[in-house]
Amino acid sequence: MGVINDRVKFNVGGRVFETTATTLANAGRNSMLGAMLDENWNLLQDNGSEKFIDRNADCFSVILDLLRTGELYIPQNVPEKLLYREALFYGVLDHVRSAKWGQFDGNRLRLSCSVQGQAPGDGTAIRAGPDGGCCVAHGCMVHVYDWMLEEHCPLNLDHQRVNDVGWVDPNNIVIGVSERLGRGDGGMGLFSSHNGELRYKFQVSHENHVKSYTAGALSFSSDYKIFSSCKGRSNEYGVGVWDQVTGKQIDFFYEPLGWSLGDADKLQWLEGSNCLLVATMFPRKDNCYISLLDFREKKMVWCWSDVGATLAVDEKRVRDAIAMEDNSSICVVNEFEELGFMDLRSSAANSVRWSSRSRLMKGKMPEEPCYPKLALHGGQLFSSMNDCISVFCGPEWVLTSRLRRSYGGSICDFSIGGDRLFALHSEENVFDIWETP
Amino acid sequence: MKKKPVVIEAYRHRVVADPNYAEKTWKLLEHAIHEIYNRNASGLSFEELYRNAYNMVLHKFGEKLYSGLVKTVTAHLRQISQSIEAAQGDIFLEELNRKWVDHNKALQMIRDILMYMDRTFVPSNRKTPVHELGLNLWRDVVIHSNETKTRLLDTLLDLVLRERNGEVINRGLMRNLIKMLTDLGLSVYQNDFEKPFIKVSTNFYCCESQKLIESCDCGDYLKKAERRLNEEMERVCHYLDSSSESEITRVVDKQMIEKHIMTLVHMENSGLVNMLMDDKYDDLERMFNMFRRVPSGLTIIKDVMTSFIRDTGKQLIMDPERLKDPVDFVQRLLDLKDKYDKVITTAFANDKSFQNALNSAFEYFINLSARSPEFISLFVDDKLRRGIKGVGEEDVEIVLDKVMMLFRYLQEKDVFEKYYKQHLAKRLLSGKTVSDEAERSLILKLKTECGYQFTSKLEDSPTLSVQVLTTGSWPTQPSPQCNLPSEIRGLCEKFRNYYLGSHSGRRLTWQANMGNADLKATFGKGQKHELNVSTYQMCVLMLFNNADRMTCKEIEQATAIPMSDLKRCLQSLALVKGKNVLRKEPMSKDISEDDVFFFNEKFTSKLFKVKIGTVVAQRETEPENIETRQRVEEDRKPQIESAIVRVMKSRRVLEHNNVIAEVTKQLQARFLPNPVVIKKRIESLIEREFLERDKVDRKLYRYLA
């Protein structure tokens, strides 16, 4: 008897499905199917009759299969967008998302798809969102895509050049823009990723006066702080800190004489050591400046610069820098995609130990070269150069994989997040999504 | 006629085109919400309602749907609020609870229908999710309505008061309503209940504690306070939010304990001191557990206990009666220690700081008397000489451990060492020790306690029957030479020749005060006895082979035994009943130099072998005591000097006070050096050019390599 009581019969858009309450329970109470089975709605009492649902039968079949097996199999005749819409109706979109791609592994990545953008080349930045979506900055526009790669309302920054973008959470992004001469605008704002609405504008005060500024690179900490390199009009250069919850400015680290903070290309919050990595690189400045800031003590605890370096070193100009996950060293890359390392534990800034890999790109230089970029994820090091991304693993950072696609030209930026890797090309406005199956 | 079907057809195929579409759909949903609140939902089709709500959101009528929801739910809650307010007396809480349960169920169903809106429209438009919205409306419309707000609080507080006064209340109902407040948010619970509850409770316990402190003794009071505390914790556990536990127990702690802590601890006839005197472990434990809850509560217990132990100990140590019997004195110390050890283990949770306090109290009063080291050594001597009555080896260990504990308290450990060596030597040489095991064990304990240095001289004490002793290993009591009888002297010469012949480079001195001898003596009626006597006694007795009567003075001249030893020796020969081989005139107990001694012809004994004990120097006589002291002081000099040199060698230059501090630190494991003495030693070292004073700063010393 119990077994028969467990049976549920649906008529979806004319097709009859028979399943069990147990299978449907996999959808969770917070889904339409879960609610339907709740005793409040006494569906199970009249178990003889079939329940009618006025929806697409093919999609229901895929979703029912997902609930039965935990695997997602989308037949040729079911467009993905249609499936997503139906999954959203039933409240099981999260199930579909987590079944669609696996846990990130740089060595097992497959190209999932490429998305053609609206504008021609010259992308500024691409940033992966926490739930598999992404946003792409182009000049004064930011395009936001959810994990289904559905484009949301684009953000128009009113002709202010976007310098960096970052996700606070799946619903909110922060955008830092340049101030235009004589306009007193610029700065940093919090926008809804759903409808592009400006929710908050972050302000900078110097000696209790609110000043306009240019927001450069961004970084976020797990204790809800936002960092941005800032350039004020009256030489108020440095790094500002805001509270994500209150939106208030809580700190400002002024740029010391003969150093560069306000122009920084890259900020990285080091969770373990409570320090911020600030890097300014060629061609933003003629020289490269890398430093670690401790805000509690208002101290630059470590710094390195190639000012006054000999010509021989000059050939190996640092183009990107990233602090390694153990916070004990900084990895840098030059225009030949050679990796170098600097020890953070010795207080006196020492020179770069370049790893002597000879992977010369000579002869294969694309027409429009891009500066190399670095990223770290789960103990794997990623480095973009021209039209491919290299994956390095292990204590010696051996090249283990290379991601390349023959369309779109050089990769100007890439980002990892939500178990996906996004690579933005410079020649065509196209970005690729790499996933682990 | 022709127009109408066209309109209908447009309606069928393009649903949104109907200008009334949104309104119609909303009416449908609104009706469903009414039915749900009226508990009449069985006729509703979930699929249809869900699809309609979905379509409204899809067709951009999310705002209309949401605002309609707010309006409808608010209207229902107004009605509910009125019916709750109308409930009379005790029905009020039950009605509120019933309506709350209904509202929750309705809210769940409404949220089921509007799930799609909750998932898509609500986050992207930053609205409050349906469930939370329902709770907020319940809070604002029902709970915060003027009448219900105060009535609910008063009713809840009244129930708590009734329960405190011993009535049985409906705890289930209480729990549900408190849960309702916490479900509405922790701040609702705190503001609408917890804060007033804490205030009322503070008043309650303020009065209660005042009443009790005037009528109860300390033990009773603490019992009642403990019961109240448990009641409050139980209350939290049964129907309050667990976050209130620390708040309410703090009230009880503060009102019942902290405010009256001094009155309680010093309460006449029942306070802490009385509990300690009467061994009231339960009360002590309760006091400990209650007092530990308030700041510095344990410190208060500890201080009172410490000063009481100090006073008790001081009385014991200063009591002239006690000085007469060192063994009993030490036994009393041990008993005192046992008592407080038991108090601390059973009642005070073996608290480390209490153990420390006990130790410091003992350390304090034991060192009040300069004779403590001597007495402790005497106690050991007594135990090891006589054995510890009816106890096995393990128990001997226990007694020794206890002695070691007293030893640890001594500041003048070297004084103890001096006495201990003397007593040990006597025990070993006279073969009177109960067990070599026990002796070794004690030496080992001293070694672990004080390090190698302390016992290195003791360890090679052999229990040889040929008792050739190494100077230095044995207490170098300057051995007073005595004139041995000629018979013995001859033997000694022989031995000396043999010994020095076989070991070159040694010196042999005789420790006449340590030896013993067997004498064959014939008494009046031809009775023969073998007398086991000490060397001194032998010397004295041998004199009577040639003389009948001798005065004490004459004996002293003949034997050259030091007067103090001689007196003891004569006492044991003439004044001990049953062993008096000599007689004395006059027959008094004391011995003066002119007293006359003669052989006791009438001596009888049942035993053939008669062991004549020495009147043991149970305690040192006054001059001896001073002598031992002086020797100790003398021994300390080189130790202090070497400590000074060690310190200076490593520091090279050091200021006077620092030298004192460092030297004291180095030596305090053995004794507490007197700064004046240290200063003298420094001066002596300067004289001998180990150190010099700095030429500018006279307080600085410089080490001269």
Side-chain angles (χ1 to χ4, degrees), chain B residues 143-248:
Chain B
I143 299 302
H144 285 174
S145 88
N146 277 339
E147 198 184 326
T148 305
K149 190 173 180 174
T150 47
R151 195 171 166 196
L152 174 62
L153 178 64
D154 291 348
T155 317
L156 292 177
L157 291 179
D158 181 55
L159 282 172
V160 172
L161 180 66
R162 273 155 63 182
E163 196 178 44
R164 280 186 182 139
N165 289 335
E167 280 183 48
V168 175
I169 61 162
N170 185 346
R171 284 183 158 186
L173 185 60
M174 244 348 226
R175 184 173 53 237
N176 291 347
L177 290 165
I178 294 290
K179 176 82 171 29
M180 173 188 80
L181 294 177
T182 51
D183 283 352
L184 296 178
L186 205 59
S187 67
V188 177
Y189 169 75
Q190 284 164 347
N191 293 326
D192 290 7
F193 176 75
E194 194 184 43
K195 280 179 193 162
F197 166 70
I198 293 298
K199 207 173 138 219
V200 165
S201 303
T202 307
N203 283 337
F204 177 84
Y205 283 114
C206 182
C207 297
E208 165 129 332
S209 67
Q210 199 55 47
K211 221 161 47 200
L212 290 178
I213 201 86
E214 285 161 14
S215 60
C216 295
D217 70 18
C218 180
D220 265 355
Y221 183 96
L222 288 174
K223 259 179 221 155
K224 285 180 176 149
E226 187 183 51
R227 195 179 311 140
R228 279 303 194 190
L229 185 71
N230 289 336
E231 277 172 20
E232 291 304 329
M233 292 198 273
E234 203 194 345
R235 184 175 350 274
V236 172
C237 177
H238 274 107
Y239 56 79
L240 300 186
D241 188 70
S242 57
S243 65
S244 296
E245 180 169 314
S246 59
E247 303 277 332
I248 186 65

Side-chain angles (χ1 to χ4, degrees), chain B residues 370-425:
Chain B
R371 307 203 66 171
S372 294
E374 182 193 348
F375 284 6
I376 293 169
S377 178
L378 279 171
F379 178 81
V380 175
D381 189 51
D382 180 74
K383 291 299 168 208
L384 291 172
R385 198 181 276 275
R386 276 201 236 148
I388 301 157
K389 266 169 255 156
V391 294
E393 250 170 61
E394 284 150 40
D395 299 309
V396 172
E397 283 291 300
I398 290 169
V399 173
L400 293 183
D401 278 339
K402 284 183 178 165
V403 170
M404 283 310 299
M405 181 193 63
L406 293 181
F407 168 75
R408 250 168 255 148
Y409 297 139
L410 291 176
Q411 275 165 2
E412 299 187 299
K413 295 193 169 57
D414 57 342
V415 177
F416 172 83
E417 179 189 9
K418 206 104 224 165
Y419 284 108
Y420 174 72
K421 277 181 185 169
Q422 265 174 38
H423 295 146
L424 172 68

